[in-house]
Amino acid sequence: MFISHESRAAVKETRVKSEYPQPVVAPPSAGKVLEFLGVTHKLTRFQTGSAYYLFETVFEPESGNRLHVHRHEDEVVYIVEGEIEIRLDNQKLKAGTGGIAHLPRNIPHALYNPLKTPLRLLAIAIPGGMEDYFDELSDAIKDGALDDAIDREISQKYGIEWLE
């Protein structure tokens, strides 16, 4: 069977737009960096067939986020460097470099770096889509600050509820 050059291009274009994920190799420097959030998109849902979103983030010394719950995705957190303290309501769990935690949706949690050195982690949100949340937050930041009302609106849109 003969396939013309034009047909080959059409087949290739169809494959690229397929709902099935294609193999991806991302070098260490790859990914969209959201400077004010300290988040780097490593693999988005567009690269994983919506199965998951992988991002890298850094928590500065003795910093973290507030107690919150995700309604749409589970999170898996892998500690690349440092130590993390995970608060689950009234319980605190710790994991150091190489440690991993699974945080199912609908479970309130907060992440905190208790050390005087940065914490670097990789996190997977399952299914993908949470990258849109970070993109919208990043776009809403003005002069390094985010308006609380806009933060709440964007969070609610993506099923993230801040509990404190």
Side-chain angles (χ1 to χ4, degrees):
M1 175 175 166
F2 176 77
I3 299 178
S4 71
H5 178 70
E6 292 79 16
S7 295
R8 283 189 183 129
V11 167
K12 184 176 181 182
E13 182 67 21
T14 301
R15 194 176 307 139
V16 169
K17 290 183 176 179
S18 169
E19 65 185 72
Y20 301 104
Q22 299 297 309
V24 175
V25 175
S29 62
K32 179 180 176 182
V33 177
L34 304 176
E35 184 179 333
F36 287 115
L37 298 177
V39 170
T40 301
H41 299 328
K42 296 310 254 181
L43 293 173
T44 69
R45 73 177 185 285
F46 300 111
Q47 297 165 299
T48 67
S50 295
Y52 63 91
Y53 159 56
L54 174 70
F55 64 99
E56 181 177 27
T57 191
V58 175
F59 284 76
E60 292 304 319
E62 300 176 328
S63 73
N65 56 35
R66 298 171 290 152
L67 191 67
H68 64 285
V69 63
H70 297 264
R71 301 294 182 199
H72 302 275
E73 59 272 323
D74 296 344
E75 284 183 293
V76 177
V77 177
Y78 175 80
I79 313 320
V80 175
E81 183 179 319
E83 183 177 292
I84 194 167
E85 183 178 278
I86 302 167
R87 182 164 53 107
L88 303 171
D89 204 13
N90 294 323
Q91 182 182 14
K92 289 183 181 178
L93 307 172
K94 285 189 177 187
T97 300
I100 194 163
H102 176 238
L103 305 168
R105 70 190 76 193
N106 298 316
I107 303 291
H109 62 279
L111 308 178
Y112 180 73
N113 174 7
L115 302 180
K116 295 195 182 304
T117 57
L119 161 67
R120 190 164 61 99
L121 57 87
L122 285 173
I124 302 171
I126 306 164
M130 197 164 88
E131 61 272 37
D132 293 340
Y133 165 74
F134 287 128
D135 284 338
E136 260 192 71
L137 276 182
S138 181
D139 291 345
I141 293 174
K142 306 286 188 237
D143 300 320
L146 180 62
D147 177 84
D148 286 341
I150 293 172
D151 185 14
R152 280 191 302 276
E153 180 182 318
I154 294 170
S155 295
Q156 184 177 18
K157 177 179 177 182
Y158 290 98
I160 298 170
E161 182 181 346
W162 297 97
L163 305 173
E164 38 179 51

